[in-house]
Amino acid sequence: MFPKRKYSNGGDNREMGFKRQHIDSGQPPPFPVVRLRGLPFDCTEADVIDFFRGLDILDILFVHKSGRFTGEAFCVLAYPLQVDFALQRNKQNMGRRYIEVFRSKRQEYYGAIAHEVSDMKVGSPSRSAPRARSNDDGNDTIEHTGILRMRGLPYSAGKDDVIDFFKDYELSEDHIHIVLNSDGRSTGEAYVEFASAEDSKSAMRRDRMTLGSRYIELFPSNPKEMDEAISKGR
């Protein structure tokens, strides 16, 4: 399984070159993933994206051990060629920390995913809430309007992935809104309009389940919040 490419930055020409290289060599291209070490313990996905500014990131997986962040992460890039550019950031700083960047392999990345999912199943308290909830607590008491906000989506996720995540419900692509930033890139959030408030409340049982390697958080929302978030990316 190769992560789906969603971002383009002059990508059409590069993609054609990528395909030609694949055909000419007769070998599958190397999996474009790097491993980072020495990350600050309050590091966020936005920090990693900024560290690799200019590169196309498909997924970021923070590594935990016994429920604690290890300071390591895997970063999947859009093209094998971008791995070389990512390695040039080795020992550059993120805040006060200098970050080590290593070449990695597909098996290591998927092994880390398996470990994270296994760790979650064991019920480690600190892994049950991988992102701070702050003012989002108390979802059970919030009135449902038929709209849910998703947080923590893989950057490569599309509307079809959201439909599959909520496969027990009748959803159309027109009712799924992936939030983009001013650069047209996914923020990792999406809004989903269900057929009824009862359906959105029922769908909350999928809160903190995984989509690919990521834990998805769900929050009741409303049309005003959804419209404001969508308009920011326009």
Side-chain angles (χ1 to χ4, degrees), residues 32-125:
V33 59
V34 294
R35 180 166 58 93
L36 295 86
R37 188 167 67 190
L39 294 168
F41 288 99
D42 59 351
C43 177
T44 65
E45 293 165 352
D47 295 326
V48 176
I49 292 172
D50 188 61
F51 183 76
F52 284 127
R53 184 181 297 273
L55 300 182
D56 301 302
I57 297 176
L58 295 186
D59 193 24
I60 299 168
L61 177 69
F62 291 111
V63 179
H64 297 80
K65 184 175 182 180
S66 300
R68 294 180 179 274
F69 178 44
T70 63
E72 294 192 6
F74 288 87
C75 187
V76 180
L77 303 161
Y79 308 96
L81 179 63
Q82 291 195 343
V83 170
D84 293 327
F85 289 103
L87 293 174
Q88 293 176 12
R89 314 288 169 92
N90 183 40
K91 297 192 176 179
Q92 291 191 15
N93 279 51
M94 180 184 291
R96 297 182 178 180
R97 304 285 296 273
Y98 78 85
I99 308 302
E100 295 178 279
V101 183
F102 304 92
R103 196 180 298 274
S104 188
K105 297 179 180 179
R106 179 197 301 264
Q107 299 94 316
E108 294 175 335
Y109 168 65
Y110 283 112
I113 292 175
H115 175 78
E116 293 291 299
V117 173
S118 173
D119 193 26
M120 181 66 173
K121 287 180 179 177
V122 204
S124 170

Side-chain angles (χ1 to χ4, degrees), residues 136 139 142-150 189-194 197 200-201 204 218-229:
D136 292 312
N139 286 337
I142 298 177
E143 181 181 357
H144 281 264
T145 65
I147 298 174
L148 290 184
R149 174 166 65 96
M150 304 178 73
E189 292 196 349
Y191 288 82
V192 182
E193 298 180 84
F194 289 82
S200 69
K201 187 172 184 178
M204 281 295 298
L218 301 177
F219 307 95
S221 185
N222 56 68
K224 181 181 179 182
E225 181 187 49
M226 179 179 71
D227 291 341
E228 288 178 351

